[in-house]
Structures are given as C-alpha cells and as structure tokens.
C-alpha cells in the first residue's frame, strides 16, 4: 500500500513537473515573441528584378528603434541597386503581423553582428538582458527565431561548451536552422544571453554532424557594437533610464505620497540626455520622480548617483525671469518582481505627480515605453489641476515561473502659473 | 619571356580587385578534422547565371579600339565559350537599360564590380584597360597578350569565379595574395594553374584555361 502511494506521488510529481516546464516555456515564448523579428531582405538587381537576398531573425532592444541580428543575414549591398530590410513582428497569434522597415545602422563584421534601426518607433516588447558571462556548460537555453520562412518558433537545448571556439561563440545543442540566425537566445528564465548564429552540418569529407550549433554570447555585442553605437539592452525597468541616456539621482528621503510636489532641492532628479526624449515636443527642463514611489533601493541594480544638495544651487546672475508656462516630464518606472506564492500576484499602483509650486497642469500625455504583465495606465488630473494620478496594475509570476511585471514610460505635462 | 611574365604578375597582383560577395559556408580546420560551418541565414547567394546566354556590351567603344575589342571577344570565345555551353551575345555599344555585362574601357586596373549574375545590367560592371598608359605600362610592349589574358580572367569573374588563391586549402604563400571574396563552392581541388590564381607561375595562365578551370565551367554551365 505504501509503495503504491509512493509510486502515485512520484507520478504526480513527474506530471506536475512537466506541466510546470511547459507553462514556463509558454510564458517565455509569449513574452519574447513580440520582441522577435522575422527578417526578410529584398534586393533589387541592376537588371530590374527583385529577389530575396537574405532571411533571418532579429530582436528589439529597448529604445523602440534598434534591433540586433547577425550581419551574415544581410547581403552585400554592393550586389544590388537597392535593398529593403523588412521585419515581421507577431505580437499575438490572433492579430496580423506588424511589418517594420529597417535600415542597417552599424555592422561588426568580426563578430558577425549588425544593428538595425526601424524607420519609426516601434511600440513593441523587447528582450531583457541576462548575464552571459556567467553561463556555463549544461545551462538550459531557449532559442527563438524564424527557421526557413516560418514565423517565430522556439527550440530548447543546453550550452555544451563556452571555451573552445576561437571566436568566443558557445557550442549548443538546441536546434538552430536556416533562418534562425540573429534570433534571441534566452536562459530558462527568459533572459537574453546570446544570438543564434549557425552550426556545423558536416565535415569536409561529408560526415554528418549533429547538435553542434553556435551562439554568439550577448556580451560580445554589448562590449562591441552596442557600446560603439551607445545602445544598451534592457536589464530590467530600472535600467531603462540609463539606457536612454538618463541618469538617476535620488534624494535621501522619500517624497511624500500624495499632494504637494517636493521642492527641487529635496526631490529626486533625473538628469536627462538630449537623446532621451528628444522626439517629444516638450522642452524638458527637469524630470521628477513620481511622488508615490521615491526613495529606497532601486530595483534591478541601478547605480545610485551622489545625492543632490539639500539647498538649491545659487542661480547664476543674468537668469531670465521665470516663465508663466513650463513643461515637465515625469518618469514612470515601476517593477513588480516578488513571487510570494504558487499563483501569480497582482497589485494596483498609483503614482501621484504634483504641479510646480504656483502652477497647475493644463495638458498631459503618457508616452509608454514598455509594459509587461501590466494594465494600461489610467491617468486622472485633479479638478484644480494641482496633481495627476497614474494608476495601473502589475502582475508577477508564481514561484515556479518568475516573470516580472513592469510599466515604464514618461508622463509629459504642461503647466501654467496660477 | 617567363621573366617578363613574372614581372607583369608581380605588378598586376597588387591591382586586381573586385568587391566581395558573402560567403555562406566556411571550411574550418580544427586539429585533424575539417568541417563546414554554416551561418544560418536561409538564402544561399550564388553568383552563377541562370542562363547560358549572356549579353555583353561596351559602354564607351572608340573606333581605334575595335581590334582590341575583337581580341577580347576572341579570347572569351576561345576559352569559356569553347569549353562550355556559355554564349556571350551582343558586343555592341550599350543602350539604355540594356541587360548583360557592361564593359567600360579605362586606363586603370581591370576589374569587375561584383561577381557573376550580379553584373547583369550593371553600368560599368567590368572595366578593361586598352592603353596601359598609367596602369601596368609593361603591357604596352605586348598589348595583345595582356589584353587577352586579362579578358579571360575578368570574364572568369563575370561568370562567377572567385580568386583561386583565396581558398582555404591554398598554400599559405598563395593565400597571402588573397583578394576580395572567397568562393562558397570549391568545385575542384585547389588549382595552381587556374586563370583565376595569382599564384599561377604563368600570369593569368597565359589566358589559357587549366583542366580544372574547364571542369568547373562545365559543372556550372554544362559541356559544349
């Protein structure tokens, strides 16, 4: 009787384990499919004919424009009068694919990498960076890409060797087929660690070879091409700011939760680079942190800069008189990454932003950069125009599938003096 | 005579060039095992023409160059055409939008812009030198020899041949002369005597196809 119970328990454990693994795979795929592009390059020959000049995969980085791939999927542009690089994104199996036109921004021929740029901002998901330097043989991995002319497809396998390839690539056993090149390679937790490259099919004597494929570790791109082009990969919501050219500094104390915008001397500040939100029509003078979530350690390991001085710096002589109209941009960067139970957990968060002293809001617009397992934000301005509340829910995964929920974006506002 | 040809070879090796095309499979040597690595973009780029009839036209034919143009045509007929099903047609002045290989004559290093079928309709796709005033003046004393040998070599590129000395299995001293692209299909064993090999003891093989050149062109385009 006891042995029967033990056998039943073992069977249940095996079935449950398989179910969890399947669910985890589904989750990784559903999260990263919208970040994966199926690339098709069309070349116009000098004889007037068009042909497919290259196919492969790519994935979005977090600036809404850049995508990384292998350079070998792109043809020698000199062969053609012109080439057109298009990428298809499938966000949902029930919706039509989104087609994006891209251009080649930069190439690293040595590492066989290419950085593409979309002709317009893409409101898409993007991959989250993992630590490829810590990957060891035996690690599980997930490959997403577009083999042959199929849409995004997932395969899995293990890292076999990280040392012996002279080019620093990993040998993996996950199936990688023609068209997979340039696709994201992820950990079992769904974090980006590499780029699918290709593999060995046969010896020079024609002996077939199996399960010997190559992946370019993502740190080769981060240390080379992406650094040269000042493009970063999203490490988590907290790194979004720095990736867009924004550096964050926080005040010692948390701003109050509700009304009354803290003075610039006490409030956290964002020093924003010119490229960060250059596309928005507002002149960004200073960026505040949301009143409701300030202070404390920042998720995702963002580096805290020196605290701002308690007193406002003296105004330089000749400062122009204050304007009656100002524009303010507030960064929203919220992450939920706790996994308290065997069920997904959700919570509603509300961030309240206050107008400058003596000012009231007249306009606002939320520019969403990324959202994962979160509801669209509800934005409400108070009747007196003194504050704006941004509410949304975030969901993080259960213990066995530790996905995270986040919302990042910028609340753009205009204010007038009261 | 051989001394002169070697001298010409040394001079010309430095100047022959053409842009590369991507290579799909790479032969890798690791220890005692050779294997092919395939980067997995799914399209194989081939420079092989899909037809055996290829048009040829001249961009800037001058009356005084008529004998030299005839030498080029003759050299191609006696080599690539005689050994395969390839037939080069036209040979008149290029017209607007004309397909085929467009040849411009200029006193510069002879070259093709790209390999094979990518030349189809491409303006100035091939450049030949008839005067040798500034480039390789040594050819002025043997214009016909140079003209024929160069034509055979450049038409080799025009039908998709890459430089033989670029191959992975070429001797290191020859690979040192590697230029532009490496072919993605080694049809025969390495051929020291190919008209496409800078390492050939005779410059451009004296404009005469080697047995392996003939085998290759017949594999690509069929026997005559």
């Amino acid at each position: 009787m006891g042995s029967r119970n033990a056998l039943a328990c073992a069977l249940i454990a095996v079935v449950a384990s398989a179910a969890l693994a399947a669910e985890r795979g589904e989750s990784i795929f559903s999260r990263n499919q919208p970040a994966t592009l199926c690339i098709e390059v069309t070349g116009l020959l000098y004889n007037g004919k068009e042909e497919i000049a290259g196919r492969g995969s790519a994935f979005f980085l977090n600036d809404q424009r850049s995508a990384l791939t292998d350079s070998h999927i792109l043809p020698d542009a000199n062969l053609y009068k012109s080439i057109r690089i298009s990428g298809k994104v499938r966000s949902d199996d029930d919706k039509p694919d989104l087609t994006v036109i891209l251009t080649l921004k930069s190439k690293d021929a040595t590492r066989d990498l290419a950085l593409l740029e979309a002709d317009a901002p893409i409101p898409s998901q993007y991959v989250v960076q993992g630590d490829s330097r810590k990957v060891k043989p035996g690690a599980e991995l997930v490959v997403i890409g577009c083999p042959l002319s199929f849409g995004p497809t997932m395969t899995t396998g293990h890292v076999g060797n990280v040392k012996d390839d002279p080019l620093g690539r990993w040998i993996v056993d996950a199936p990688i087929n023609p068209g997979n090149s340039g696709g994201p390679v992820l950990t079992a937790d769904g974090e980006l660690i590499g780029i699918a490259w290709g593999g060995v099919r046969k010896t020079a004597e024609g002996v077939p070879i199996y399960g010997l494929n190559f992946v370019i570790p993502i740190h080769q791109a981060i240390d080379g091409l992406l650094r040269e082009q000042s493009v970063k990969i999203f490490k988590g919501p907290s790194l979004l700011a720095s990736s867009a050219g924004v550096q964050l500094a926080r005040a010692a104390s948390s701003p109050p939760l509700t009304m009354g915008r803290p003075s610039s001397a006490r409030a956290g500040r964002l020093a924003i680079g010119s490229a960060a939100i250059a596309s928005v029509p507002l002149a960004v003078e200073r960026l505040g942190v949301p009143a409701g979530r300030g202070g404390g350690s920042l998720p995702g390991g963002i580096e805290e800069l020196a605290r701002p001085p308690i007193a406002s710096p003296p105004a330089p002589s000749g400062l122009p008189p204050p304007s009656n109209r100002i524009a303010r941009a507030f960064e929203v960067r919220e992450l939920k990454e706790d996994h308290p139970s065997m069920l997904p957990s959700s919570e509603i968060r509300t961030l309240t932003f206050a107008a400058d002293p003596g000012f009231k809001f007249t306009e606002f617009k939320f520019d969403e950069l990324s959202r994962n397992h979160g509801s669209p934000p509800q934005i409400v301005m108070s009747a007196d125009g003194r504050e704006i509340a941004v509410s949304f829910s975030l969901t993080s995964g259960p213990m066995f599938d530790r996905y995270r929920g986040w919302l990042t974006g910028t609340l753009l506002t205009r204010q007038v003096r009261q | 005579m051989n001394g002169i040809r070697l001298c010409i070879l040394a001079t010309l090796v430095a100047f022959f060039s053409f842009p590369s095309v991507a290579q799909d499979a790479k032969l890798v040597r690791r220890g005692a095992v050779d294997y092919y690595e395939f980067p997995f973009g799914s399209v194989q780029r081939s420079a092989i023409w899909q037809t055996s009839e290829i048009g040829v036209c001249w961009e800037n034919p001058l009356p005084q160059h008529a004998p030299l143009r005839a030498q080029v045509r003759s050299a191609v007929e006696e080599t690539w055409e005689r050994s395969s099903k390839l037939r080069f047609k036209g040979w008149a002045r290029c017209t607007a939008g004309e397909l085929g290989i467009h040849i411009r004559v200029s006193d510069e290093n002879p070259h093709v812009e790209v390999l094979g079928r990518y030349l189809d309709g491409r303006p100035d796709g091939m450049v030949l030198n008839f005067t040798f005033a500034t480039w390789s003046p040594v050819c002025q004393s043997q214009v016909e020899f140079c003209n024929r040998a160069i034509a055979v070599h450049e038409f080799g590129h025009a039908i998709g041949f890459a430089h033989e000395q670029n191959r992975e299995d070429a001797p290191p001293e020859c690979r040192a002369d590697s230029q532009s692209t490496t072919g993605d299909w080694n049809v025969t064993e390495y051929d020291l005597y190919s008209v496409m090999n800078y390492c050939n003891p005779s410059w451009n093989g004296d404009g005469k196809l080697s047995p392996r050149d003939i085998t290759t062109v017949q594999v690509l385009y069929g026997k005559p």
Side-chain angles (χ1 to χ4, degrees):
Chain A
M1 190 64 179
S3 62
R4 282 187 186 172
N5 283 342
L7 182 61
C9 284
L11 278 172
I12 289 169
V14 168
V15 171
S17 169
L20 291 180
E23 192 173 325
R24 197 176 200 182
E26 284 176 27
S27 173
I28 290 172
F29 186 69
S30 66
R31 271 180 280 148
N32 289 285
Q33 177 181 248
T36 304
L37 289 136
C38 296
I39 299 289
E40 188 171 277
V41 187
T42 308
L44 174 63
L45 292 158
Y46 279 88
N47 63 12
K49 295 177 183 169
E50 277 195 345
E51 66 179 15
I52 302 300
R55 277 205 182 99
S57 307
F59 52 91
F60 280 120
L61 307 178
N62 59 312
D63 61 357
Q64 292 191 295
R65 290 192 92 112
S66 300
L68 193 61
T69 186
D70 294 335
S71 63
H72 71 252
I73 75 166
L74 306 173
D76 179 353
N78 191 45
L79 298 179
Y80 297 96
K81 207 169 183 179
S82 63
I83 62 168
R84 186 178 69 250
I85 307 170
S86 65
K88 282 189 178 171
V89 186
R90 184 170 298 167
S91 57
D92 189 321
D93 288 337
D94 298 329
K95 294 179 183 169
D97 293 345
L98 171 70
T99 299
V100 181
I101 301 300
L102 303 119
T103 51
L104 175 63
K105 188 177 180 187
S106 186
K107 224 173 180 180
D108 178 346
T110 306
R111 296 182 178 90
D112 194 12
L113 294 168
L115 190 63
L116 307 175
E117 189 172 71
D119 60 350
I122 307 301
S124 178
Q125 187 55 273
Y126 44 81
V127 293
V128 174
Q129 181 193 333
D131 191 346
S132 54
R133 293 186 191 280
K134 290 183 179 169
V135 170
K136 292 180 177 170
E140 288 180 76
L141 55 82
V142 173
V143 178
I144 299 179
C146 312
L148 305 180
S149 54
F150 292 106
T153 302
M154 178 174 133
T155 59
T156 60
H158 294 83
V159 177
N161 182 307
V162 298
K163 281 178 67 176
D164 291 343
D165 180 62
L167 298 175
R169 299 167 301 186
W170 301 332
I171 297 171
V172 307
D173 68 350
I176 296 178
N177 289 300
N180 271 110
S181 277
V185 177
L186 310 156
T187 64
D189 290 326
E191 293 183 331
L192 177 76
I193 49 171
I195 306 160
W197 186 85
V200 179
R201 286 292 168 88
K202 60 181 179 180
T203 67
E205 292 75 35
V207 178
I209 301 293
Y210 303 104
L212 210 165
N213 295 318
F214 292 110
V215 165
I216 303 172
I218 194 61
H219 60 254
Q220 288 201 2
I222 293 167
D223 296 345
L225 188 60
L226 299 183
R227 178 170 291 168
E228 289 162 17
Q229 297 296 318
S230 299
V231 173
K232 292 185 179 177
I233 301 179
F234 193 45
K235 266 190 176 173
S238 57
L239 278 187
L240 180 64
S242 61
S243 71
V246 180
Q247 290 184 307
L248 178 69
R250 290 240 178 181
S253 58
S254 301
L257 283 171
T258 56
M259 289 283 292
R261 186 181 184 283
S263 72
S264 61
R266 288 180 57 235
R269 283 187 192 175
L270 292 167
I272 190 162
S274 60
I277 54 170
S279 60
V280 300
L282 298 171
V284 178
E285 298 167 3
R286 185 171 67 237
L287 296 176
V289 292
R293 305 291 301 180
S297 64
L298 301 172
I302 190 168
E303 186 181 347
E304 281 200 347
L305 302 181
R307 292 170 180 170
I310 297 301
S312 296
S317 59
L319 194 71
S323 168
N324 287 328
R325 291 182 176 275
I326 58 174
R328 291 275 185 268
F330 301 88
E331 194 80 358
V332 173
R333 300 179 300 112
E334 289 294 302
L335 170 70
K336 185 176 185 311
E337 58 178 348
D338 57 333
H339 313 284
S341 71
M342 296 298 283
L343 295 173
S345 90
S346 300
E347 69 180 45
I348 294 175
R349 294 188 180 178
T350 300
L351 310 179
T352 306
F353 301 90
D356 278 35
F359 284 77
K360 67 174 185 179
F361 291 116
T362 57
E363 295 174 52
F364 62 84
K365 175 189 167 193
F366 187 68
D367 190 2
E368 183 178 301
L369 191 55
S370 173
R371 178 157 51 86
N372 189 57
H373 292 285
S375 67
Q378 301 292 316
I379 304 171
V380 178
M381 185 167 68
S382 64
D384 61 2
R386 290 286 303 137
E387 69 176 10
I388 292 175
V390 179
S391 299
F392 49 92
S393 70
L394 294 179
T395 302
S396 55
M399 287 174 163
F400 56 83
D401 185 7
R402 300 162 71 86
Y403 62 80
R404 300 178 291 182
W406 68 71
L407 174 68
T408 61
T410 307
L411 179 68
L412 307 165
T413 70
R414 291 187 191 279
Q415 303 176 31
V416 295
R417 191 179 295 279
Q418 285 185 304
Chain B
M1 190 62 180
N2 276 344
I4 293 172
R5 286 175 186 170
L6 281 172
C7 176
I8 295 169
L9 167 66
T11 309
L12 300 191
V13 155
F15 292 102
F16 272 113
S17 67
F18 57 92
S20 67
V21 292
Q23 166 187 345
D24 288 305
K26 182 184 175 191
L27 181 66
V28 178
R29 291 192 159 173
R30 186 170 186 83
V33 181
D34 294 350
Y35 57 87
Y36 289 103
E37 285 183 0
F38 292 85
F40 285 158
S42 69
V43 173
Q44 297 285 322
R45 288 175 287 272
S46 170
I48 309 304
W49 293 77
Q50 301 302 307
T51 175
S52 57
E53 286 201 357
I54 301 171
V56 180
C57 67
W58 298 93
E59 298 271 21
N60 55 344
L62 297 176
Q64 65 269 32
H65 289 157
L68 293 156
R69 291 197 299 275
Q71 287 171 12
V72 170
R73 183 173 181 174
S74 164
V76 172
E77 285 172 351
E78 291 167 12
T79 53
W80 301 115
E81 283 194 351
R82 183 168 296 172
S83 305
S84 72
K85 281 198 168 73
L86 280 173
R87 295 295 177 265
F88 294 94
K89 305 282 186 181
W91 297 99
R93 178 186 286 275
C94 296
T95 56
E98 182 170 346
L99 300 183
I101 301 165
H102 290 225
I103 306 173
R104 181 170 57 85
V105 175
S106 175
D107 185 23
E108 58 186 282
N109 62 308
H111 64 276
V112 290
E113 291 290 327
V114 287
L115 295 184
R117 68 183 178 90
Y118 295 105
L119 287 171
D120 194 13
R122 188 181 184 112
D124 300 342
M126 180 186 291
V127 172
L128 297 178
N129 191 331
F130 284 169
T131 54
F132 307 104
T134 56
W135 181 82
S136 195
V138 68
C139 280
Q140 289 177 14
S141 60
Q142 44 184 341
V143 170
E144 181 169 357
F145 167 75
C146 286
N147 193 29
R148 285 178 174 274
I150 290 170
V152 172
H153 181 95
E154 297 307 332
F155 270 79
H157 287 319
I159 59 175
F161 282 54
H163 284 143
E164 186 74 1
Q165 78 274 9
N166 287 15
R167 290 171 51 146
E168 298 274 345
D169 51 356
E173 64 274 19
C174 292
R175 295 207 73 204
D177 287 333
S178 291
Q179 287 252 342
S180 305
T181 192
T182 303
D184 55 10
W185 180 16
N186 292 335
V187 178
T188 67
E189 292 184 7
Y190 171 72
D191 184 7
L192 175 64
Y193 301 102
S194 168
V195 293
M196 309 309 292
N197 196 340
Y198 284 3
C199 233
N200 192 326
S202 301
W203 179 65
N204 284 347
D206 289 342
K208 294 173 184 163
L209 300 184
S210 72
R212 286 176 183 169
D213 285 332
I214 293 170
T215 300
T216 301
V217 73
Q218 290 180 349
V219 168
L220 300 186
Y221 296 102
K223 292 182 180 178

